[in-house]
Amino acid sequence: MVMLLLVIIQVLYRYVLHIPIPWAEELARYLFTWLIFLGASLTSAKDEHLAITVFRDLIPVKYREFIIIVIDTIILVFLYILMIKSIDLVGQVKSTKTPVLQISMAFPYMSILVGSASMFIHTLINIIGRMMKIVKPDSV
């Protein structure tokens, strides 16, 4: 809501009042990166990521959960690498300031770390849930 309000105010000031707010675009851009990664994390928590289900539906039902676990494990490895690399990236940019707001560039880049760590946890929980469903199908 903050980002939406900020963009609306920026547009009104720029095109109606002809007084642009220099920091509004920069802040909206950084809030958008946070929105993307937190939204992706929420999607991971609900296990509702966009997927091409044509091939999954061709797999026999008794093997489907196993294949999804393999795919989620590959995603887990990717998220782990993304977390490690984002820790390095945040460390590299923490002393750099943003052009207009003059805040640390660690703030926008931290969204990658927080989002990937959260997605990692949710994906791991999803894998454990699927494994439990395979081991004890009627308990879950």
Side-chain angles (χ1 to χ4, degrees), residues 20 26 83 92:
E26 188 172 285
M83 276 191 315
Q92 290 174 8

Side-chain angles (χ1 to χ4, degrees), residues 129-140:
R130 282 196 172 90
M131 288 176 147
M132 289 174 61
K133 194 189 300 185
I134 289 172
V135 174
K136 296 181 181 179
D138 41 352
S139 67
V140 178

Side-chain angles (χ1 to χ4, degrees), residues 15-127:
Y15 294 107
V16 176
L17 301 175
H18 303 290
I19 307 169
I21 305 171
W23 54 267
E25 179 191 350
E26 188 172 285
L27 181 58
R29 186 178 329 125
Y30 299 146
L31 290 175
F32 188 60
T33 61
W34 277 93
L35 179 69
I36 290 167
F37 280 99
L38 293 178
S41 174
L42 182 61
T43 306
S44 289
K46 294 181 176 186
D47 199 20
E48 293 180 346
H49 271 291
L50 184 62
I52 300 172
T53 59
V54 174
F55 300 115
R56 183 192 69 194
D57 295 343
L58 293 174
I59 299 168
V61 176
K62 73 182 214 179
Y63 301 115
R64 197 173 291 166
E65 287 297 320
F66 176 74
I67 298 297
I68 293 172
I69 289 172
V70 170
I71 292 168
D72 280 351
T73 303
I74 294 168
I75 291 169
L76 203 64
V77 170
F78 170 78
L79 290 171
Y80 177 77
I81 294 168
L82 187 60
M83 276 191 315
I84 299 304
K85 294 298 183 182
S86 64
I87 290 170
D88 293 340
L89 184 60
V90 168
Q92 290 174 8
V93 299
K94 68 182 176 191
S95 60
T96 306
K97 302 284 184 195
T98 61
V100 179
L101 292 172
Q102 291 298 303
I103 60 173
S104 172
M105 282 299 289
F107 170 73
Y109 286 104
M110 188 71 75
S111 65
I112 303 169
L113 176 59
V114 171
S116 61
S118 181
M119 284 186 276
F120 181 90
I121 292 167
H122 292 305
T123 303
L124 186 60
I125 290 169
N126 291 340
I127 290 171

